[in-house]
Structures are given as structure tokens and as C-alpha cells.
Amino acid sequence: MTTDLITLSPAQHTALLPSLVALHCACITCDNMLAHFLPPLDPAFMEKWWLDSISDPLNTTFVTLSAPLPVDISPSTPASSLPTVTGVVQIRAPFSESEPFKCEVYKLMVSPDARRQGIAKKLMQRLEEEAVKKDRLLIILDTEVGSPAESVYPRLGYTRVGVIPGYGISPKDGTLSDEVWFYKDLRKVKRLGA
């Protein structure tokens, strides 16, 4: 599968939102991922949530696509002529005087049909490049205990911090799920590479 990686722009890429929502829904329904929404999923509501999220100047959103994006994309471009969103990750760099060097990874999601092709690694590498560009060198993230992502992050150099029990409601059965937290300090990586 071909993958093209782009930075989502609310001004240019709203035509991709239905595909992004489909990916989000697939990760919730196939993996029971804690990802903001619970079944029954409402794609229209999720699309608005994504539009608000990519419009927030504190967020930068990267997606991988199944093929290169057409040059002449517009909100009226038919979905059938667009590539599929195969993965997404978002970096959030909120204002903080006491933690100006920290950023958060919002859900890394890869389509169940596009896994084991290096998409998660590609997205996280791009996210780390953006973190360096923003001088946000301490990256924190979380994922559900037992999820496929739990084994991905250590392979990408993230250190496990610990588990918060009963962190979120499982979309599978409504029970409380535990969440594991990770971090990566690019200040150390930067010093080692200098």
C-alpha cells in the first residue's frame, strides 16, 4: 500500500474528514479503543469534532493516505476520487509557562486494514520532527493497557511510566479500562546526537 503523509489543514482538507471519521470508527469498533466516543457512533458529530480539533491552533494533525492527494482538492471533491486516510496522529502543544518544553500525543490511530506496514512509525517520526520544530522536546502519551499500541511505543523509544486504573469507559462493554502512560525526552536524544 502506498502512503502519503500530509499535515491536515482545515482550509484545504475538509473533504478528507469522512475518511478520517471512518478510520476513527474502525479503531473504536474493531479494537475497542478509548478514543473520545462510545457506540453508537455518530459520524456527523465526530466529523464536527475533528473539524474543531484540526482547526485548534494548539494542535497539528498528520495523516497518512492510501495514495497521493489530488492537487485540486476542495470541500466539494467527491469522496470516491480521494485517497483513504490510513493513519492519523495529533500533537498538542498547549500554552504553559512552567512546561513550555512539553507536548502531548493525541490518539495515534492506524486503520485495521493498513497495519504492520510502518504507518505508526512514520506518523510518530513526523510528530517528533514537529515537536523539535516547536521546541517541545518532552513528549507524553497514553494508550489502553493490552492494546496493540502498548507494544509499539517502547519500540519507538518511549519509556513506560505507569498505569492509571479505571481511566476510561470501554466501548466494548462499558466497563472501566486502565490506561498506560509513556514519555520520550528528545532533549536527551538531542544531547546524545549532538
Side-chain angles (χ1 to χ4, degrees):
M1 174 181 285
T2 305
T3 56
D4 194 25
L5 194 150
I6 65 166
T7 304
L8 275 188
S9 160
Q12 297 175 332
H13 301 124
T14 55
L16 292 171
L17 289 177
S19 182
L20 180 57
V21 168
L23 163 68
H24 197 158
C25 289
C27 289
I28 292 171
T29 58
C30 294
D31 300 331
N32 300 306
M33 177 186 249
L34 297 181
H36 305 291
F37 301 99
L38 292 170
L41 300 173
D42 179 348
F45 182 71
M46 293 172 75
E47 190 170 316
K48 182 183 179 330
W49 182 88
W50 271 110
L51 182 58
D52 290 346
S53 186
I54 65 172
S55 299
D56 185 334
L58 298 177
N59 299 335
T60 306
T61 307
F62 304 104
V63 296
T64 52
L65 303 169
S66 59
L69 196 60
V71 176
D72 58 348
I73 185 173
S74 74
S76 62
T77 303
S80 60
S81 66
L82 293 172
T84 303
V85 175
T86 57
V88 62
V89 71
Q90 192 172 68
I91 181 173
R92 182 162 177 83
F95 168 80
S96 174
E97 288 184 344
S98 61
E99 302 166 347
F101 46 80
K102 184 184 84 176
C103 64
E104 302 169 38
V105 175
Y106 273 27
K107 294 295 181 200
L108 169 66
M109 294 184 273
V110 176
S111 169
D113 298 330
R115 294 191 180 150
R116 307 200 64 76
Q117 298 176 37
I119 292 172
K121 181 178 180 179
K122 186 176 185 178
L123 285 164
M124 289 301 290
Q125 285 172 335
R126 181 63 187 92
L127 180 135
E128 289 177 13
E129 291 168 7
E130 186 70 14
V132 168
K133 185 173 134 187
K134 292 177 182 275
D135 206 26
R136 298 296 186 119
L137 302 177
L138 180 62
I139 303 173
I140 61 171
L141 60 87
D142 62 297
T143 192
E144 307 87 79
V145 170
S147 72
E150 187 178 5
S151 64
V152 169
Y153 295 122
R155 290 194 307 261
L156 297 176
Y158 286 79
T159 301
R160 182 184 166 124
V161 177
V163 173
I164 299 176
Y167 185 84
I169 300 169
S170 170
K172 178 180 181 181
D173 57 16
T175 60
L176 291 179
S177 295
D178 299 343
E179 197 81 351
V180 59
W181 285 80
F182 293 89
Y183 79 95
K184 187 172 189 178
D185 192 341
L186 297 178
R187 295 169 296 189
K188 291 179 181 178
V189 173
K190 203 172 176 182
R191 279 194 298 272
L192 293 173

